[in-house]
Amino acid sequence: QAWYPGALGGKAIANILSGECSPSGKLPVTFYKSISQLPPFTQYEMTTQTYRYMKETPLYPFGYGLTYSHFKFKDIKIEKKEEYLFNVSVTILNEGLFDTYNVIEMYIKTPESNVKSPKYQLKQFRKEFFRSNQQQTVTFIIDEQAMSFIDGNGHRVILKGDYTVYINDGQPDEYTETLYGRKALATAFTVNVPKRIDY
């Protein structure tokens, strides 16, 4: 799917199809199987929509996309720097034959609250170049913005409790894991003191 690729779109697509370069794009939307998976047009609640709440299996999930290579994710580590600041890192190996970019995605699941919280949310991503058989470590910074959640009153808050961090080149749902043939890596951290963030 090239959307509207512009004047050089044909050449770009030809380069991908001929193997001159490896694709690395990820879907910025969910591709639903049919309109039966969409809520009524008059329903504005998000609790059944987008990858954050969807329970059905889509045609193609948000965040999904392939390259001509194959990647192995391993050794996820998290380090607490301050009360609301963590570093999380993962080691990634390009096991395939192609040099290629890949997009590394970090999702966070917040603790349960009295407001229906998402399954998880994409918080950060990094596009990195990997040569064939190259291994590198990618680090994300989890700050107040990344771990915060909008409550029922519209306030951005940091909830007390256990947070789960997922890292992969797609979202951590079963269907994406089936398409890739591997699971997202996961780790966790705990917030002991809740906080409201006012900007």
Side-chain angles (χ1 to χ4, degrees):
Q1 174 57 268
W3 307 107
Y4 182 75
L8 294 179
K11 182 177 181 180
I13 294 170
N15 286 343
I16 290 174
L17 294 178
S18 65
E20 287 294 318
C21 69
S22 173
S24 60
K26 305 293 182 178
L27 288 180
V29 294
T30 300
F31 274 59
Y32 296 92
K33 285 183 178 179
S34 70
I35 59 173
S36 65
Q37 292 184 326
L38 297 173
F41 188 75
T42 54
Q43 179 180 323
Y44 294 97
E45 292 183 9
M46 296 299 295
T47 53
T48 60
Q49 302 180 50
T50 76
Y51 76 93
R52 296 179 300 163
Y53 296 101
M54 187 179 183
K55 295 181 179 179
E56 299 86 1
T57 300
L59 181 63
Y60 292 108
F62 170 89
Y64 174 70
L66 296 175
T67 75
Y68 288 149
S69 211
H70 178 73
F71 289 85
K72 180 178 181 179
F73 286 63
K74 60 183 180 179
D75 300 332
I76 189 169
K77 298 176 182 177
I78 193 163
E79 177 187 11
K80 183 174 182 179
K81 308 295 286 186
E82 298 175 11
E83 184 62 37
Y84 306 107
L85 185 65
F86 296 80
N87 284 351
V88 59
S89 62
V90 64
T91 301
I92 304 165
L93 170 64
N94 179 0
E95 296 183 309
L97 300 177
F98 282 81
D99 299 342
T100 184
Y101 283 96
N102 198 13
V103 178
I104 317 305
E105 304 171 24
M106 182 187 75
Y107 295 78
I108 294 181
K109 176 172 176 53
T110 59
E112 296 296 330
S113 68
N114 58 349
V115 178
K116 181 174 175 54
S117 57
K119 296 183 295 183
Y120 39 74
Q121 297 181 80
L122 175 66
K123 291 295 186 175
Q124 295 178 34
F125 63 89
R126 294 262 301 275
K127 186 173 185 177
E128 300 289 346
F129 185 75
F130 296 83
R131 297 200 178 277
S132 176
N133 293 315
Q134 180 189 7
Q135 175 176 289
Q136 60 178 295
T137 298
V138 175
T139 301
F140 293 96
I141 298 174
I142 302 175
D143 56 12
E144 292 184 354
Q145 180 75 19
M147 68 179 69
S148 62
F149 171 73
I150 304 297
D151 67 12
N153 297 316
H155 300 304
R156 182 171 290 279
V157 297
I158 297 175
L159 301 174
K160 179 180 178 179
D162 298 324
Y163 290 70
T164 305
V165 182
Y166 303 95
I167 296 182
N168 200 9
D169 47 3
Q171 61 173 301
D173 68 305
E174 289 185 9
Y175 186 46
T176 299
E177 292 171 351
T178 299
L179 292 172
Y180 282 140
R182 56 176 155 77
K183 290 183 173 291
L185 296 184
T187 187
F189 65 91
T190 301
V191 170
N192 297 310
V193 182
K195 182 177 181 180
R196 174 173 163 178
I197 304 173
D198 295 309
Y199 294 110

